[in-house]
Amino acid sequence: MTIANIISAIGNNSSVYPLIVRDCGIEVPSKIVLTYNQNKKESDGVAYLAARERFLDEYATSAVWLGGIPLVGKIADYVIKKKGLNPDVNLKLFKEDNFQGIDYNIKKFKDLAPDAVNDLLNAKGSKKTYEKLLAGKFIASTTIPILFMGFILPKMIFASSAKKIEALRQKEKTQMNFLEKDKFFKSKQPAFTGNWITKAANFSAQDKMAVTDGGYAVGRIATARNKNETMDISFKMAGMMFLNFVAPKWIEKGLNKLTGVVLDPVMLADKKFVVKAKNNMLKLPVSDKAADLFEFIDNPSNKNTMFVKYAKKFKKLKTFDNGIRDPRAYVEVKDLGQFRNDIESFANSLSGLSRDAYKSLVKKARFSKTANILTNVGLSSFLLAYMLPKAQFAFRKLVTGSDLEPGLAPAEKIVDNKL
């Protein structure tokens, strides 16, 4: 994989790659160190236990978070196929419009992609069953990780720490005349309802991770060992979800607007694409309107164009090996139209420039986009790995009056919070 591809992957805020870099490579190690140092201010023993719990918690969660969702999803896909249905059929197609839909695609592609059309016919004939299966897939691929990360894992970690906590507290009680142990409590699990099948069936891996994170947060709050730990975890999880799933996209938009560079580094590093853009040789849809977009992507003569090539690469379009558009997939017209406009804007920026001038502009654009991505990853990682824990520690100090982990703190450190 080239440098451009690596930068492109970690810069795609709709994929899991930025999360892997931030979560496993930067955020978790930093949090373990910060947790140890924060607790060490008051107790070496609690510091060790807190760091141990953070290590087990964070890396076990990451393993389930990044691997559990795709694995359960694949198992669900296998079950759906055994029922004679294809999970590639997008439920959005059941809402017909002028350019795509179940009936529209069946009629248009019956000779071009008969196998795919057969999948559409099966889904149409078993719509209710298919919806239930896709709903089951979503529930399984999110609920199972939520139950493990939010309820089972913390209980396992707490159990593994219980004897060590008791031994530590007895030691400190003998040495420092500490008081009683803290009391535990449990809260009820929330219920989730709503008609969400079509939307949920089209969630990306990152969307499912966000849902899983929400359930994970609920589980951690429900299994907290005392009221102060509930407050502490609530603050942390709210900040973590915002910084993982919202802030990076805001930062990306801001940096793109600041530099004026939107296209992916892979495209900017493609000399063939750049030369065609400079010489006005790129074939693009006439406009970003649905009619023009579908006319272009469904024209066999355009299957090898740069537009179709990169629309496929960045998951804006799905085709078979022969170039025929997959009628089971749904085309997000607005997204594809914006992609077309971004390419046109880049080509227009090169128009009329001398050879040296356009090469310089492309080089600067590639550097700017790479810098944008690395800045985004670095800034969001800094906020997650350093600023959020620091804010959490300050919040904890304000609420409990102690630097110690609320779930591990000795009884005399557990006071009624004032918030």
Side-chain angles (χ1 to χ4, degrees):
M1 181 178 282
T2 65
I3 295 297
N5 281 313
I6 294 172
I7 297 297
S8 172
I10 65 173
N12 183 1
N13 283 308
S14 295
S15 74
V16 301
Y17 297 110
L19 298 174
I20 293 174
V21 172
R22 289 196 303 266
D23 189 66
C24 298
I26 300 173
E27 180 188 351
V28 174
S30 299
K31 283 182 175 179
I32 292 171
V33 173
L34 289 171
T35 296
Y36 180 83
N37 291 338
Q38 183 70 15
N39 285 273
K40 188 176 174 63
K41 295 176 182 179
E42 296 189 34
S43 171
D44 289 343
V46 173
Y48 165 75
L49 291 177
R52 176 182 176 274
E53 284 198 351
R54 180 57 62 90
F55 175 86
L56 294 173
D57 184 15
E58 296 287 353
Y59 278 115
T61 296
S62 294
V64 177
W65 196 45
L66 297 170
I69 293 173
L71 176 61
V72 177
K74 287 181 180 180
I75 294 173
D77 284 346
Y78 175 78
V79 173
I80 292 172
K81 289 177 181 179
K82 292 293 285 185
K83 296 289 185 180
L85 297 165
N86 193 319
D88 289 338
V89 176
N90 195 305
L91 285 179
K92 289 184 179 181
L93 293 172
F94 282 99
K95 185 178 180 180
E96 298 279 343
D97 62 33
N98 294 328
F99 304 102
Q100 59 182 332
I102 285 283
D103 292 331
Y104 182 93
N105 286 5
I106 289 172
K107 182 177 179 180
K108 181 172 183 175
F109 292 92
K110 64 181 180 180
D111 297 322
L112 297 173
D115 290 340
V117 166
N118 188 54
D119 290 335
L120 293 176
L121 288 168
N122 288 338
K124 180 182 178 181
S126 307
K127 181 182 177 183
K128 289 185 178 179
T129 299
Y130 186 54
E131 286 179 336
K132 289 179 180 178
L133 288 169
L134 287 182
K137 174 184 175 180
F138 174 79
I139 292 171
S141 61
T142 53
T143 302
I144 293 174
I146 285 172
L147 289 175
F148 183 81
M149 294 189 300
F151 296 89
I152 298 173
L153 179 61
K155 289 295 186 181
M156 291 172 62
I157 293 174
F158 295 162
S160 73
S161 297
K163 290 184 178 180
K164 295 180 177 64
I165 296 171
E166 181 61 26
L168 175 65
R169 290 181 180 175
Q170 288 298 327
K171 179 180 178 181
E172 293 186 346
K173 183 177 181 180
T174 300
Q175 294 175 345
M176 303 177 67
N177 195 27
F178 272 43
L179 301 178
E180 297 179 335
K181 296 183 292 180
D182 56 296
K183 297 180 181 179
F184 295 174
F185 85 102
K186 296 181 180 180
S187 61
K188 294 182 179 179
Q189 297 181 21
F192 299 93
T193 59
N195 184 12
W196 40 264
I197 297 176
T198 299
K199 186 174 181 179
N202 289 286
F203 274 13
S204 65
Q206 194 194 59
D207 292 332
K208 290 177 183 177
M209 285 180 177
V211 173
T212 303
D213 241 20
Y216 160 52
V218 170
R220 289 308 169 91
I221 292 168
T223 56
R225 288 168 285 193
N226 53 61
K227 293 182 179 180
N228 286 337
E229 190 171 47
T230 298
M231 299 279 286
D232 193 61
I233 291 174
S234 298
F235 184 90
K236 180 186 78 170
M237 295 304 297
M240 190 174 74
M241 291 192 67
F242 174 77
L243 293 176
N244 258 325
F245 301 106
V246 179
K249 294 181 179 180
W250 287 5
I251 295 170
E252 179 185 21
K253 288 181 180 179
L255 291 173
N256 286 348
K257 187 174 182 180
L258 181 66
T259 61
V261 183
V262 178
L263 295 185
D264 191 273
V266 170
M267 299 177 71
L268 298 173
D270 186 340
K271 294 181 179 179
K272 187 176 179 180
F273 169 78
V274 171
V275 169
K276 285 194 172 187
K278 167 66 174 66
N279 296 320
N280 197 27
M281 295 171 61
L282 288 175
K283 289 185 68 177
L284 296 173
V286 176
S287 74
D288 60 1
K289 294 180 180 179
D292 293 326
L293 292 171
F294 280 102
E295 181 180 354
F296 187 92
I297 61 179
D298 287 339
N299 186 334
S301 65
N302 294 327
K303 66 180 182 180
N304 294 320
T305 61
M306 288 289 182
F307 178 77
V308 170
K309 172 187 173 181
Y310 282 114
K312 288 163 56 180
K313 178 175 178 59
F314 298 119
K315 312 298 183 185
K316 303 175 189 301
L317 181 64
K318 187 177 180 180
T319 71
F320 298 115
D321 292 339
N322 61 5
I324 299 297
R325 176 166 60 87
D326 187 344
R328 300 167 302 186
Y330 186 84
V331 179
E332 296 291 349
V333 174
K334 185 177 180 180
D335 191 30
L336 186 63
Q338 185 60 55
F339 182 63
R340 177 253 174 222
N341 292 344
D342 291 338
I343 293 175
E344 184 180 59
S345 296
F346 175 72
N348 289 340
S349 70
L350 302 180
S351 180
L353 296 180
S354 66
R355 187 171 183 273
D356 290 340
Y358 104 80
K359 283 190 172 183
S360 176
L361 188 148
V362 172
K363 185 177 180 180
K364 289 180 180 178
R366 191 163 62 242
F367 175 81
S368 295
K369 187 61 178 180
T370 299
N372 285 357
I373 290 172
L374 295 179
T375 298
N376 194 347
V377 171
L379 179 57
S380 56
S381 296
F382 174 73
L383 293 172
L384 269 167
Y386 185 79
M387 294 304 297
L388 178 58
K390 286 293 186 180
Q392 180 189 357
F393 297 154
F395 178 78
R396 176 188 302 167
K397 185 77 171 180
L398 177 65
V399 172
T400 70
S402 171
D403 291 311
L404 299 178
E405 293 285 324
L408 298 172
E412 70 172 15
K413 294 290 185 179
I414 300 176
V415 297
D416 293 333
N417 63 71
K418 304 301 182 183
L419 298 182

